[in-house]
Amino acid sequence: MASTSDIRNGLCIKFNHDIYKIIEFLHVKPGKGPAFVRTKLRSLSNGKVLDNTFSAGHKIDEVRVETHTYQYLYAEGDQFHFMNVESFEQITLDKKILDNPGLLKEGTNVMVQVNTETDLPLSVDMPASIVLEVTYAEPGVKGNTATNATKSATVETGASINVPLFINEGDKIKIDTASGSYMERVK
């Protein structure tokens, strides 16, 4: 059993007869009344996000997890296939477990959290950023913009990203996997 002082991003807990991963948290100490912790929890079974407030000192049921490095192989419908880089054992995960599956490129290494009690995969942590090639971008029109003009571009995985006007087909761009947004052009 852990308490609210042990809450951190990425912690997996048992709550309401399900396993949740903490996405965001904020310790709040108001001037009047007891302290509490505001959290955003993502269900690892169905992917729904839930806001919850825990009072200070509340006991939480922590789920013991191990993290393993897996390599993304290919997708087949809503099923994504991964291979453990140490044991070469393959697993298949559903699309709803992944945070941003549209940015997953074949051969990318990801961290998979596995429940130690049941040996079931709980969540997939992608790298912080990924470099992808632009396969289609509309030509940017100069002159009719005031500030920060963007256009839609398609990358090699098929995802659509908003990019600045100077990005063309064939350019490699760095994308933030958490938000799915453009970061910079890579030479």
Side-chain angles (χ1 to χ4, degrees):
M1 280 292 219
S3 72
T4 53
S5 62
D6 300 322
I7 288 179
R8 63 189 183 281
N9 286 339
L11 179 71
C12 293
I13 62 171
K14 286 182 186 169
F15 181 70
N16 283 353
H17 310 292
D18 199 0
I19 296 177
Y20 288 87
K21 180 179 179 180
I22 295 177
I23 304 169
E24 291 178 19
F25 73 97
L26 177 66
H27 287 279
V28 179
K29 177 106 174 75
K32 186 177 182 181
F36 55 89
V37 181
R38 275 194 194 112
T39 59
K40 270 194 178 179
L41 309 169
R42 176 182 286 127
S43 171
L44 297 178
S45 61
N46 60 20
K48 291 184 180 174
V49 176
L50 170 79
D51 289 327
N52 191 53
T53 302
F54 295 102
S55 57
H58 182 81
K59 298 291 181 205
I60 53 175
D61 235 354
E62 189 175 353
V63 176
R64 295 188 60 78
V65 295
E66 289 180 354
T67 304
H68 300 286
T69 304
Y70 280 79
Q71 184 179 38
Y72 170 60
L73 299 175
Y74 62 96
E76 196 173 52
D78 282 350
Q79 301 295 316
F80 286 73
H81 298 270
F82 295 88
M83 178 185 67
N84 188 322
V85 296
E86 294 160 4
S87 66
F88 304 111
E89 164 187 324
Q90 291 189 17
I91 60 170
T92 303
L93 301 177
D94 197 62
K95 183 179 188 175
K96 64 185 173 192
I97 290 181
L98 304 168
D99 291 337
N100 212 336
L103 298 177
L104 209 50
K105 181 180 174 183
E106 293 177 1
T108 303
N109 285 345
V110 296
M111 304 303 285
V112 177
Q113 292 181 337
V114 179
N115 187 342
T116 56
E117 297 170 9
T118 60
D119 285 333
L120 291 174
L122 295 176
S123 69
V124 177
D125 293 329
M126 292 179 60
S129 63
I130 189 165
V131 176
L132 296 173
E133 185 175 335
V134 176
T135 56
Y136 175 75
E138 294 177 8
V141 180
K142 294 182 183 179
N144 62 353
T145 60
T147 57
N148 288 347
T150 60
K151 62 181 180 181
S152 182
T154 306
V155 292
E156 59 187 295
T157 60
S160 184
I161 309 288
N162 282 335
V163 298
L165 295 177
F166 59 83
I167 299 295
N168 298 314
E169 288 182 26
D171 288 349
K172 292 189 182 294
I173 58 172
K174 187 184 235 184
I175 301 168
D176 180 16
T177 55
S179 63
S181 61
Y182 167 86
M183 290 174 73
E184 64 182 356
R185 179 167 51 178
V186 179
K187 299 273 183 203

